[in-house]
Structures are given as C-alpha cells and as structure tokens.
C-alpha cells in the first residue's frame, strides 16, 4: 500500500511540473507572444534572475550600454546566447548574489537562455 501512495505522489508531482513547464514554454514561444514582448520591452541595463526567470524578460538599450544580470536564486544560472556570435553575451555559472555584465557594441536583437534551465529566456534589443 505504501508503494502505491509513493507512485501516486510521484505521478501527481510530475503532472504539476509538466503543467508548469508547459505554461512557461507556452508564454515564451510563438510569433504573437514575441510581438507582445517587443511592445513591452523595458529600457534598463539591469536584469534580475529570480524565481527561475529573467526580469525583465526583454530590455532595450543603446549601442555601448553594459547590461548586468544579478542572480537572486539559490541555484546557479547562466546567460547563454542563442547564437555563437562574439557580440552576444555568454557567461559562466552565476552563483546566488553574483552578477555578470556584458557591453553591447552592435545594434540588433540578442536572445539568450539559461543553459541549466533552458525554459528561461530573455531578449536584449540594442538600438543605435
């Protein structure tokens, strides 16, 4: 009987985790959501990493701006560019309380994610 209870608890937990992941992935994909995110881009040069999210998820800065990410979670995160360009940010592990900074030298849209947590996404829009 005890084994059945454990199996049921595991199935319920996996269902909850799967639903949460689907919600997060669903909010970050698709052209309509990209347009909505672009319209809500924030002009700042500081991004918090908290609750397994980049906040704000999308920012707009001018060429030459240094953007700083600060990890407020108890686990390590990364800033991993979705491209292999040297003009895009790529960090090592960022521990709780630590920061990573990157200077954007070219206009464009830079998407990134957290390598250990690939459902975490962010975008930096760099303008002239």
């Amino acid at each position: 009987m005890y084994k059945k209870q454990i199996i049921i608890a595991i199935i319920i937990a996996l269902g909850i985790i799967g639903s949460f992941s689907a919600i997060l992935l669903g909010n970050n994909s698709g052209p309509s959501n990209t347009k909505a995110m672009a319209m809500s881009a924030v002009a700042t040069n500081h991004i918090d990493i908290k609750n397994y999210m980049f906040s704000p998820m999308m920012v707009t800065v001018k060429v030459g701006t240094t953007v700083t990410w600060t990890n407020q979670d108890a686990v390590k995160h990364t800033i991993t560019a979705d491209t292999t360009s040297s003009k895009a940010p790529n960090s090592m592990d960022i521990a709780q309380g630590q920061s990573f900074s990157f200077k954007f030298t070219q206009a464009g849209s830079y998407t990134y994610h957290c390598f250990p947590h690939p459902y975490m996404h962010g975008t930096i829009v760099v303008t002239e």
Side-chain angles (χ1 to χ4, degrees):
M1 184 70 168
Y2 182 69
K3 288 182 182 179
K4 274 188 174 180
Q5 291 172 333
I6 291 175
I7 291 171
I8 291 172
I10 290 171
I11 291 171
I12 291 171
L14 289 173
I16 291 169
I17 292 168
S19 297
F20 184 67
S21 296
I23 290 169
L24 286 176
L25 290 173
N27 285 341
N28 292 329
S29 62
S32 62
N33 287 334
T34 302
K35 288 177 185 174
M37 283 176 40
M39 291 174 24
S40 63
V42 177
T44 184
N45 67 336
H46 185 82
I47 298 170
D48 290 321
I49 306 170
K50 188 174 182 181
N51 299 321
Y52 293 85
M53 294 180 67
F54 297 111
S55 180
M57 290 176 59
M58 177 177 259
V59 301
T60 300
V61 297
K62 298 275 188 193
V63 169
T65 300
T66 298
V67 175
T68 301
W69 291 261
T70 302
N71 184 6
Q72 297 180 16
D73 282 336
V75 300
K76 294 178 182 176
H77 292 293
T78 67
I79 307 305
T80 305
D82 292 343
T83 67
T84 57
S85 170
S86 63
K87 305 222 184 268
N90 283 294
S91 74
M92 301 298 283
D93 288 343
I94 307 167
Q96 183 178 31
Q98 292 183 335
S99 296
F100 167 74
S101 296
F102 184 83
K103 183 176 183 176
F104 288 89
T105 60
Q106 185 175 339
S109 181
Y110 299 86
T111 58
Y112 63 92
H113 63 279
C114 174
F115 184 77
H117 312 103
Y119 50 85
M120 295 173 59
H121 295 273
T123 303
I124 307 294
V125 177
V126 182
T127 61
E128 293 290 334

